[in-house]
Amino acid sequence: MKIKSKIWIETDDGILISEGRIQLLKLIESTGSLNKAAKEMNISYQKAWKLIDASNKASKEPLIATQVGGNKGGGTVITPYGKSLIESFEAINVACWKFLDVELKKHSL
């Protein structure tokens, strides 16, 4: 038996980060593009942008930085703060799952 849970972190300004937004940020990091990341997640560019924009508005610092044009075209990179947010969220998530597993074992279901 396994217990499942989804967590997200909110500020007074809205959702800062969630599992889906973490996935989007990781795909941005690996592809170098918000558009490519959105395609890999099978969501529209507009939805991906809205998710990142909402997180940026709820955040104390931007999560991504865009680079305009040039010979190789533009792109999107994760900021150092965005990377630290990914690491922190994942550590919190793992700790949450471990805690829930321990709690589940306390009950005979």
Side-chain angles (χ1 to χ4, degrees):
M1 191 175 296
K2 189 94 174 140
I3 191 166
K4 299 288 184 179
S5 173
K6 286 189 178 184
I7 64 168
W8 58 91
I9 299 171
E10 292 182 1
T11 69
D12 290 338
D13 296 316
I15 296 174
L16 172 62
I17 203 71
S18 63
E19 288 182 34
R21 293 175 197 210
I22 290 290
Q23 181 184 4
L24 181 57
L25 286 171
K26 286 178 155 187
L27 285 169
I28 291 169
E29 186 171 37
S30 67
T31 64
S33 163
L34 179 60
N35 191 36
K36 289 177 184 174
K39 285 180 182 174
E40 287 212 21
M41 287 185 70
N42 293 317
I43 62 174
S44 70
Y45 175 85
Q46 182 179 8
K47 180 171 182 170
W49 175 250
K50 284 181 179 180
L51 290 169
I52 294 297
D53 188 49
S55 287
N56 276 335
K57 287 177 180 171
S59 176
K60 64 181 182 178
E61 294 180 37
L63 306 182
I64 63 167
T66 55
Q67 300 168 332
V68 181
N71 331 7
K72 298 180 183 179
T76 306
V77 296
I78 305 299
T79 64
Y81 177 73
K83 289 179 183 183
S84 72
L85 193 60
I86 291 169
E87 291 171 9
S88 296
F89 182 85
E90 289 181 333
I92 291 167
N93 218 10
V94 167
C96 181
W97 294 332
K98 287 179 182 177
F99 170 78
L100 291 173
D101 285 340
V102 168
E103 289 301 304
L104 181 61
K105 288 178 184 174
K106 293 178 183 178
H107 301 273
S108 55
L109 302 176

